[in-house]
Amino acid sequence: MSGPAPARPPLLEVHDLTVNFSGSDGVARAVDGVDLTVEEGETVGLVGESGCGKSVTALAILRLVEPPGHIAHGSSVRLGGRDLLALGAKEIRAVRGNHVALVFQEPLSALNPVLRIGNQIAEAIRAHEAVTRGTARWRAVEMLTAVGIPDAKRRASAYAHQLSGGMRQRVLLAMALACRPQLLLADEPTTALDVTIQAEILELLDGLQRKLGMAVLLITHNLGIVAERTRRVYVMYAGQIVEEAATEQLFAAPAHPYTEGLLAAIPRLDERRDRLQAIPGQVPPATAWPEGCRFHPRCPHAWAKCGTEMPPLLEVTPGHRARCWLVKEPERRKK
Amino acid sequence: MLRFAARRLAFAVVSVAAVVFITFLLVHAAPGEPMLGTPERALASPETMARQRTLFGLDRPLPEQFLRYARNLARGELGESFVLHRPVAAVLAEAVPNTLLLGGTALVASLLLGLAIGVVQAARHHSRTDTLLSAATLVLYSVPVFWLGLVLLLVFGERLHWLPVSGMTSAGLEDRLSSLGRAVDVARHLVLPAASLALVQAAAFARFQRSALVESLDAEYIRAARAKGLTERAVLLKHALRGALAPTLTLAGLSVPYFLAGSVLVESIFGWPGLGRVAYDAIFARDYNVITATALVSGVLVAAGNLLADVAVAIADPRVRLDQ
Amino acid sequence: MRTRLALAIPLVLAACAKGPAGDAARAPGGTMIIATTGDADVLFPPVTSVTNGINVSDLLFCRLAELKLALNTVDDAGFRPVLARSWEHPDSLTIVFHLDRRAHWQDGAPVTAADVAFTFGVYRDPAVNSPLAPFLAAIDSVTARDSFTVAFRFRRWYPEQLYDATYHMRVLPRHLLDTIPAARLATAPFARAPVGDGPYRFVSWAAGSEIALAADPAWFLGRPGLDRLIWRVTPELATAVSGLLAGEADAMEVIPARGQLERVQQATDVRLVPYPSPFYAAIVFNLRRPPFADRDVRRALAMAVDRETVVRSVFGPFAEVAVGATSPMQWIWSDSISQLPFDTAAAARLLDQRGWRRGGAGGLRSSHGAPLRFTLLVPTSSQVRQQAAVIVQDELRRLGVDMRIQPLEFTVMERRTQTGDFDAALISRTIDPSPASLLQWWSPGAGGNIGRYADTAFGSLAAAAMRARTRAEAAPLWRSALGRLNDEAPAVFLFSPRNNAAISTRFRNVTIRPDSWLATVTEWRVIEARHIARDRGAPRP
Ligand SMILES: Nc1ncnc2c1ncn2[C@@H]1O[C@H](COP(=O)(O)OP(=O)(O)OP(=O)(O)O)[C@@H](O)[C@H]1O
Ligand code: SF4
Ligand SMILES: [Mg+2]
């Protein structure tokens, strides 16, 4: 996968990203030292159970985390080598929606119910390009056509609640892609849809991605989708990346017990599931991550060391790393 | 939509009729009787009073009086003022437009001011500005209208001489003014009474709007708007405010009774010749027909306020519009 | 010298610019804005009942004759001619008035004897229900002898015949009213836009807001000094005073609250003009009820009230202690009227004698187990009476009397006193210039005698006073009657407020007749050097 060091910096390079939420019951470290890289045109998966910090990671990349959350000092997010965390308000606005776009997981709530959808797409264009209202509107209609909305001209003046779920997700895609971003952060773009529509949307995304030459960070808890659509995968647990590998590698030889648990729980194609539930136990609250390996209370292989020392990301094979002591001490694995 | 409108209208008619009925009963059940003169100069002898009762039919049994009143009302007749010796309709025709001007201006001003304050607060919620404004609106909200009116009058009228203190026009100068000059003159007279009415309610609107906005700022579509690269201003005014407007507009519709009640005080303080004054004087003089008619008009205005708010909400929020 | 000349030239030019001099030069003109707390009810003299309606219609319609400033209601010399150029008494039951032929209605028609006879008919008509009708009861008929001679025929002889013939009625234009049914007169358009014969003509009336009158330059007794009179309704007294101090208004008839008076006292452009008020306030006892049927109990209560303290603490310098059931406006007012002294020891002795002895809880007096306790009704509309009630309550408590105060809304209190449903009431009486009004309140069977006081001695003194031929003869009799009333104590006569008009110092020649403060307004003038914008704004009729 990662061959010799690339001549150019990677498109997105997240390093030691930490996001804290200060609340009445202490500080929640929702994202804790995440490293993550996306190359140009590449599709990368980010998977993990609910609440592990996937969405916060995506928001942090665009500095959209709102108080009481804040990105910790020492974090870095580089886009084509430029540190987004150091930009002024105006500059970061120029990045949002323009170079990096975000698609949300719940299309109904991500669309403003009181504004016409055409208007919501057009305003994204006008935020970044000096075009007239008419042009922006015309481009919005074009975009709606591109995402496969029939009779786009008429639909442009509809409101979100007048559309079906699939249509709304297409609208969200159109909105995100209106400025031809280099990177799309797709936060569970199909979770809310039923299976056939999921497939359609993903096909559409694929097509558009190829056409625009855009990279995608695909956030999902559906490993089936990851298997089909991504080249590399990051697995997140309790605010941390716990495993990172080429997709094939991950499915063939998962190194982290958590990933193993996830794989064992892959839903069959005809089954729809919102949450991964197969691993016994619950994700601990972000205000009180366990000592040592954060997975140890749920891990079938845990031993004393796991409860006291936090494992770093350890290399299994080049390009494949896992945050588990078993990498060093495979003999501890229980049969 | 038509059926909805018809139902709303029928409800309004029934509630106004109920208001009239209850007012009629209360007014006649209340102790005291129509008075000739003022407390300082009560002129009437008991004999004159007795004859007056007969002339007005007040010596008849109450059900008979009510039936007669209802019959006249059904024909669109509001009867005659005992004290002013003129048709109640004529009294109202002069007073209601003035009250609408005062109340309407105050309502619009308080709404705009309330929205502005609410937006500023929500834009930087939990900042020092927000806390300060919250404290200010809380104080303003608890200020009695009467007191506020007097303070404004003393400061801006008597002390600073910026604005006239009473009436709708400058006495003795009207005939020297052009029609534009007259409009400006009325506007100048309008400032203090409208401000007295508006400020308190603006505080209410601001508090309401702030919380509605802060809540709507939590919505996913706000984050989506930011993710598009929109400015905070566009996010706030175009995305957040629009959705958060409906509750405030509804409140504005429901605030009509506040403005009517407030106008009784403010019209008295500033000598504004409106419905509030008419009602106040009528209650004092037990001018039954006038009291009942002001209740009728107030009922209609309140119902109209609600109806108007519904329309405004429907314009602001397509979900409401398209659901019906 | 040169500078003075330079200044003078524009002044001359300005004077020329006004157009043909002459008229403008003789009549300086000017506008007076009068702030009032209440609007008029209607501008039709027979039914007009509220202060402002009376004030305005008084300037639109004339009387046959007017009382002079002294308010001498008995002697012919107390009156000056208005519509009547002269009058004579051919016999003891008749007065014949000779009308001034110059008098005319503002539509041009002359004022005639037929108008006077018509007017009497209107005031007496039950369908009109004029509150003034009872005052005309002694007049039997009014007949036109010819166009300009009218005779009043009385049922009996009494000295105030001229007063009753002239004071209560303002002559109405028959030719504009005789086609309107009597019951509709008050509601006719005329009543809101009248055509009169007075010094001022009606211009406009915006209900609840403003009434404007303009001088009639052709008024038969000479053009009034002020071109326009505008009443501005400003219900809130504090606002009205603010308007006065800010120069928005020029005058107010009366400033009834001490705090507001003090504001005006400090102003430089407005001055207070004091004059006697036509009011007195009294605690009236209901003689139908047990403790008050006893004259000595009433006297004891009266002696226990330190009226001087009450008046000074409520009004400061702005009121007089009442010498009896009168006000300084009436010519019978005198310090020589006998009054009960303030003497708490005597009061206590009197109550002890009558069996009301101390001993109850808190030193309360009681007799046969019944405490000496009563309720005083006070109207919520009157701050001063409520304040006075509290002080009286305290003074009576020291005597061992438990007086409870019940504030009531005005009309409710009125109803209770009219029906006799009260122990005692702190009332305020508006009186006429004529002392005959005493009988209206204190003679048996009179509608205003709410406490059912009946005393033959008082009755015969008053009757004798009513028959006296001259004021000099009548005065001692009236004063004895008042003294008798004080002695009998059907009421405690507390105070008569001194009215204070507030008038801009722009005006000169200001005099005030206490019963009708604008009675002499035709003489008032604006000081020319102090003309302001509105003085020049007068439309030339
Ligand atoms: N506004 C907030 N206030 C406090 N804590 C927050 C807030 N938003 C997120 N968090 C914390 O961040 C953690 C991660 O949230 P995040 O939304 O990133 O999870 P996720 O992985 O996207 O889950 P899901 O699959 O349910 O979308 C949450 O468990 C919560 O503790
Ligand atoms: S470190 Fe220990 S507890 Fe953690 S995943 Fe590996 S084996 Fe399980
Ligand atoms: Mg999420």
Side-chain angles (χ1 to χ4, degrees):
Chain A
M1 318 302 100
S2 50
R8 285 201 293 164
L11 176 62
L12 176 72
E13 196 175 17
V14 174
H15 181 63
D16 200 14
L17 179 65
T18 299
V19 180
N20 294 316
F21 286 89
S22 32
S24 51
D25 46 352
V27 174
R29 181 157 287 199
V31 173
D32 189 0
V34 163
D35 290 348
L36 186 148
T37 309
V38 180
E39 301 289 346
E40 259 167 50
E42 181 190 37
T43 304
V44 174
L46 180 60
V47 293
E49 269 174 306
S50 191
C52 70
K54 306 183 295 291
S55 294
V56 173
T57 302
L59 290 173
I61 289 170
L62 278 177
R63 279 171 49 192
L64 289 169
V65 179
E66 284 153 30
H70 52 270
I71 301 171
H73 204 71
S75 309
S76 104
V77 176
R78 293 182 172 277
L79 185 73
R82 193 156 67 128
D83 188 357
L84 298 187
L85 300 185
L87 296 183
K90 201 170 166 189
E91 295 161 310
I92 187 70
R93 269 209 305 274
V95 172
R96 292 176 188 159
N98 194 18
H99 302 301
V100 181
L102 194 54
V103 175
F104 291 84
Q105 81 191 77
E106 182 56 64
L108 183 56
S109 55
L111 285 169
N112 191 324
V114 302
L115 296 177
R116 297 174 197 280
I117 56 166
N119 184 349
Q120 294 188 59
I121 299 171
E123 72 176 350
I125 298 169
R126 279 168 61 80
H128 301 291
E129 295 171 37
V131 296
T132 64
R133 217 172 271 272
T135 312
R137 195 174 157 72
W138 175 78
R139 283 213 4 222
V141 173
E142 208 181 31
M143 219 43 232
L144 286 172
T145 314
V147 296
I149 290 186
D151 199 4
K153 199 163 175 174
R154 200 170 53 83
R155 288 292 170 83
S157 44
Y159 294 95
H161 67 280
Q162 294 172 299
L163 303 176
S164 68
M167 285 294 166
R168 286 178 203 145
Q169 196 52 274
R170 285 170 197 265
V171 170
L172 273 191
L173 268 179
M175 211 161 87
L177 304 184
C179 292
R180 300 164 184 271
Q182 297 158 279
L183 172 64
L184 181 69
L185 307 174
D187 189 356
E188 314 203 36
T190 59
T191 316
L193 308 175
D194 51 59
V195 185
T196 39
I197 305 197
Q198 273 189 21
E200 273 178 42
I201 296 285
L202 290 169
E203 271 322 306
L204 172 69
L205 183 57
D206 249 10
L208 292 168
Q209 183 185 5
R210 241 172 285 127
K211 214 161 93 190
L212 301 173
M214 152 184 90
V216 176
L217 179 66
L218 186 61
I219 299 173
T220 180
H221 56 248
N222 187 329
L223 287 167
I225 293 174
V226 172
E228 277 173 48
R229 314 267 167 192
T230 65
R231 211 164 64 93
R232 285 192 305 118
V233 193
Y234 293 90
V235 180
M236 255 186 114
Y237 183 78
Q240 294 175 319
I241 301 290
V242 293
E243 186 159 10
E244 168 195 354
T247 309
E248 276 172 34
Q249 179 73 27
L250 187 93
F251 279 82
H256 198 287
Y258 176 63
T259 314
E260 286 167 15
L262 288 183
L263 290 176
I266 293 185
R268 289 196 305 276
L269 259 178
D270 53 353
E271 194 184 3
R272 185 187 167 209
R273 252 190 231 168
D274 291 337
R275 295 281 181 265
L276 295 170
Q277 292 154 331
I279 307 169
Q282 280 178 340
V283 186
T287 39
W289 295 139
E291 286 280 294
C293 172
R294 289 184 183 166
F295 189 57
H296 85 259
R298 300 170 77 189
C299 181
H301 311 292
W303 68 97
K305 181 179 181 180
C306 303
T308 54
E309 287 176 53
M310 182 194 291
L313 273 173
L314 299 167
E315 182 158 277
V316 185
T317 58
H320 184 181
R321 297 190 294 168
R323 195 182 285 278
C324 173
W325 292 125
L326 285 175
V327 177
K328 279 197 171 163
E329 300 174 62
E331 67 285 357
R332 293 277 188 173
R333 183 176 284 273
K334 298 196 177 102
K335 286 289 166 276
Chain B
M1 185 72 201
L2 255 178
R3 268 192 50 199
F4 171 79
R7 211 171 51 225
R8 285 301 308 264
L9 210 63
F11 179 73
V13 168
V14 170
S15 40
V16 169
V19 165
V20 169
F21 179 66
I22 292 168
T23 309
F24 188 93
L25 282 187
L26 283 179
V27 159
H28 284 80
E33 61 183 336
M35 171 170 76
L36 289 179
T38 49
E40 299 79 46
R41 191 176 282 213
L43 282 185
S45 63
E47 303 80 54
T48 316
M49 292 302 299
R51 204 167 314 125
Q52 180 176 253
R53 274 196 291 279
T54 322
L55 285 176
F56 295 147
L58 296 174
D59 50 349
R60 314 298 307 159
L62 197 55
E64 186 187 321
Q65 289 187 49
F66 183 73
L67 278 182
R68 200 179 37 178
Y69 186 83
R71 229 180 4 248
N72 288 340
L73 194 59
R75 283 202 302 262
E77 285 167 25
L78 295 170
E80 204 169 88
S81 159
F82 303 155
V83 175
L84 303 173
H85 301 282
R86 56 193 302 228
V88 173
V91 176
L92 295 182
E94 283 172 345
V96 170
N98 297 341
T99 289
L100 287 181
L101 176 62
L102 173 60
T105 307
L107 177 59
V108 171
S110 61
L111 196 53
L112 293 181
L113 185 63
L115 287 182
I117 296 174
V119 167
V120 168
Q121 284 189 266
R124 32 197 102 168
H125 57 286
H126 302 310
S127 73
R128 188 188 296 255
T129 318
D130 179 29
T131 319
L132 271 175
L133 282 172
S134 275
T137 54
L138 186 65
V139 168
L140 201 56
Y141 187 57
S142 29
V143 162
V145 172
F146 188 80
W147 182 85
L148 180 64
L150 282 180
V151 167
L152 292 180
L153 183 144
L154 283 178
V155 174
F156 295 101
E158 193 185 318
R159 276 285 131 71
L160 298 173
H161 283 267
W162 288 356
L163 293 161
V165 298
S166 97
M168 272 183 83
T169 53
S170 297
L173 292 177
E174 294 94 335
D175 35 11
R176 287 160 41 112
L177 295 171
S178 63
S179 41
L180 177 68
R182 254 179 251 196
V184 171
D185 191 40
V186 170
R188 277 169 46 81
H189 282 80
L190 185 58
V191 175
L192 291 181
S196 315
L197 264 183
L199 283 175
V200 175
Q201 190 61 18
F205 287 143
R207 298 185 71 75
F208 212 68
Q209 189 59 60
R210 178 195 175 274
S211 52
L213 257 181
V214 166
E215 194 184 306
S216 92
L217 279 173
D218 264 351
E220 187 86 332
Y221 60 78
I222 295 301
R223 203 173 269 175
R226 291 204 178 103
K228 281 191 267 189
L230 299 189
T231 60
E232 263 319 287
R233 194 188 160 83
V235 168
L236 204 69
L237 295 183
K238 188 169 171 187
H239 284 266
L241 186 57
R242 193 73 192 274
L245 217 47
T248 310
L249 289 176
T250 308
L251 182 68
L254 293 175
S255 72
V256 170
Y258 160 83
F259 284 102
L260 286 173
S263 71
V264 175
L265 298 173
V266 169
E267 288 177 3
S268 277
I269 298 173
F270 292 99
W272 191 266
L275 191 64
R277 287 280 330 287
V278 168
Y280 181 87
D281 289 347
I283 288 168
F284 201 85
R286 298 288 190 278
D287 199 344
Y288 295 154
N289 286 345
V290 177
I291 301 174
T292 314
T294 51
L296 172 75
V297 172
S298 306
V300 169
L301 288 178
V302 168
N306 289 347
L307 232 55
L308 222 67
D310 284 350
V311 173
V313 166
I315 290 172
D317 193 334
R319 286 167 297 183
V320 179
R321 193 186 328 156
L322 299 163
D323 283 353
Q324 288 160 6
Chain C
M1 193 64 213
R2 270 176 60 188
T3 52
R4 204 176 294 168
L5 201 69
L7 278 173
I9 289 168
L11 282 177
V12 171
L13 289 178
C16 295
K18 272 190 180 166
D23 201 16
R26 262 191 294 114
T31 298
M32 181 164 74
I33 310 244
I34 301 160
T36 128
T37 52
D39 196 7
D41 45 358
V42 63
L43 297 179
F44 187 58
V47 296
T48 305
S49 306
V50 308
T51 313
N52 206 33
I54 295 170
N55 284 339
V56 174
S57 51
D58 276 0
L59 294 170
L60 296 168
F61 297 93
C62 291
R63 291 178 168 124
L64 289 168
E66 275 292 347
L67 277 172
K68 292 178 184 168
L69 279 180
L71 295 181
N72 174 355
T73 56
V74 175
D75 306 322
D76 279 18
F79 295 78
R80 65 179 164 82
V82 185
L83 289 177
R85 171 171 49 80
S86 64
W87 52 87
E88 67 220 17
H89 304 264
D91 59 63
S92 68
L93 296 182
T94 312
I95 305 178
V96 175
F97 292 92
H98 302 283
L99 300 190
D100 192 323
R101 285 165 196 252
R102 297 170 300 169
H104 59 83
W105 298 104
Q106 282 147 8
D107 64 358
V111 179
T112 65
D115 289 326
V116 181
F118 171 77
T119 300
F120 178 69
V122 169
Y123 274 80
R124 292 286 302 273
D125 194 328
V128 175
N129 198 28
S130 169
L132 297 163
F135 298 99
L136 304 172
I139 303 173
D140 183 48
S141 67
V142 175
T143 40
R145 295 242 170 116
D146 64 42
S147 293
F148 297 102
T149 312
V150 63
F152 280 58
R153 181 95 188 147
F154 287 80
R155 296 181 200 283
R156 57 186 167 79
W157 179 86
Y158 61 100
E160 284 190 340
Q161 284 174 334
L162 180 59
Y163 172 78
D164 277 345
T166 58
Y167 191 77
H168 309 296
M169 287 186 290
R170 291 183 175 271
V171 177
L172 303 168
R174 187 181 77 148
H175 66 291
L176 297 176
L177 299 173
D178 60 358
T179 56
I180 304 171
R184 306 302 306 166
L185 278 171
T187 48
F190 181 90
R192 295 193 67 78
V195 175
D197 54 1
Y200 285 86
R201 50 163 78 227
F202 175 82
V203 175
S204 64
W205 180 2
S209 170
E210 188 175 301
I211 299 177
L213 303 186
D216 181 357
W219 192 49
F220 72 106
L221 292 179
R223 181 194 178 122
L226 301 175
D227 279 342
R228 291 193 300 176
L229 300 179
I230 299 173
W231 281 261
R232 281 302 288 254
V233 183
T234 312
E236 182 58 36
L237 178 67
T239 311
V241 170
S242 290
L244 203 61
L245 300 182
E248 284 175 37
D250 295 307
M252 282 186 76
E253 175 177 5
V254 55
I255 309 234
R258 191 174 166 185
Q260 304 299 338
L261 276 171
E262 281 158 2
R263 285 174 72 197
V264 178
Q265 270 181 329
Q266 283 154 21
T268 49
D269 290 346
V270 185
R271 71 197 153 96
L272 292 176
V273 182
Y275 61 98
S277 79
F279 313 121
Y280 68 83
I283 294 175
V284 177
F285 301 118
N286 187 354
L287 272 59
R288 300 178 196 82
R289 299 207 169 166
F292 305 123
D294 185 338
R295 173 175 174 271
D296 286 334
V297 171
R298 303 196 305 263
R299 285 167 57 89
L301 296 181
M303 283 193 284
V305 176
D306 181 4
R307 297 180 297 158
E308 185 70 30
T309 302
V310 173
V311 171
R312 293 303 149 241
S313 48
V314 174
F315 290 95
F318 301 113
E320 317 285 348
V321 173
V323 299
T326 179
S327 107
M329 175 188 88
Q330 288 186 327
W331 50 267
I332 56 172
W333 173 282
S334 162
D335 290 334
S336 67
I337 294 167
S338 84
Q339 300 175 53
L340 290 175
F342 167 55
D343 185 344
T344 49
R349 265 197 315 276
L350 211 47
L351 287 180
D352 285 340
Q353 278 167 22
R354 303 301 299 166
W356 295 98
R357 298 182 194 285
R358 280 190 192 263
L364 202 61
R365 288 175 188 275
S366 56
S367 165
H368 302 106
L372 187 45
R373 170 179 293 150
F374 67 97
T375 302
L376 178 74
L377 306 188
V378 190
T380 49
S381 58
S382 171
Q383 286 278 332
V384 292
R385 275 185 270 165
Q386 290 185 62
Q387 289 167 16
V390 173
I391 300 172
V392 170
Q393 180 181 50
D394 187 52
E395 290 176 346
L396 291 184
R397 187 180 295 126
R398 274 184 246 154
L399 186 67
V401 180
D402 180 18
M403 181 183 89
R404 314 225 156 145
I405 299 173
Q406 185 174 13
L408 281 180
E409 204 241 8
F410 179 76
T411 57
V412 181
M413 172 165 155
E414 198 71 350
R415 176 100 212 184
R416 297 249 324 247
T417 53
Q418 290 295 343
T419 54
D421 179 17
F422 71 106
D423 296 339
L426 213 182
I427 52 93
S428 165
R429 292 280 184 238
T430 309
I431 53 180
D432 280 339
S434 159
S437 55
L438 257 180
L439 295 171
Q440 222 180 302
W441 312 114
W442 304 108
S443 63
N449 187 356
I450 56 172
R452 287 283 201 280
Y453 168 68
D455 175 40
T456 44
F458 168 76
S460 49
L461 279 168
M466 292 279 284
R467 280 191 309 271
R469 287 184 177 275
T470 63
R471 200 153 68 124
E473 256 178 69
L477 291 167
W478 281 122
R479 288 174 187 146
S480 305
L482 285 173
R484 173 72 187 173
L485 210 52
N486 285 338
D487 202 42
E488 288 278 294
V492 184
F493 301 100
L494 287 177
F495 51 80
S496 176
R498 187 174 321 134
N499 275 354
N500 278 280
I503 296 171
S504 160
T505 52
R506 302 197 301 121
F507 296 86
R508 63 182 173 84
N509 222 21
V510 173
T511 50
I512 290 182
R513 204 177 82 190
D515 66 314
S516 167
W517 78 296
L518 291 176
T520 59
V521 76
T522 52
E523 320 281 315
W524 298 14
R525 298 283 187 278
V526 179
I527 296 168
E528 246 174 302
R530 299 197 48 197
H531 270 215
I532 55 177
R534 59 174 168 260
D535 293 318
R536 293 182 286 273
R540 293 285 153 188

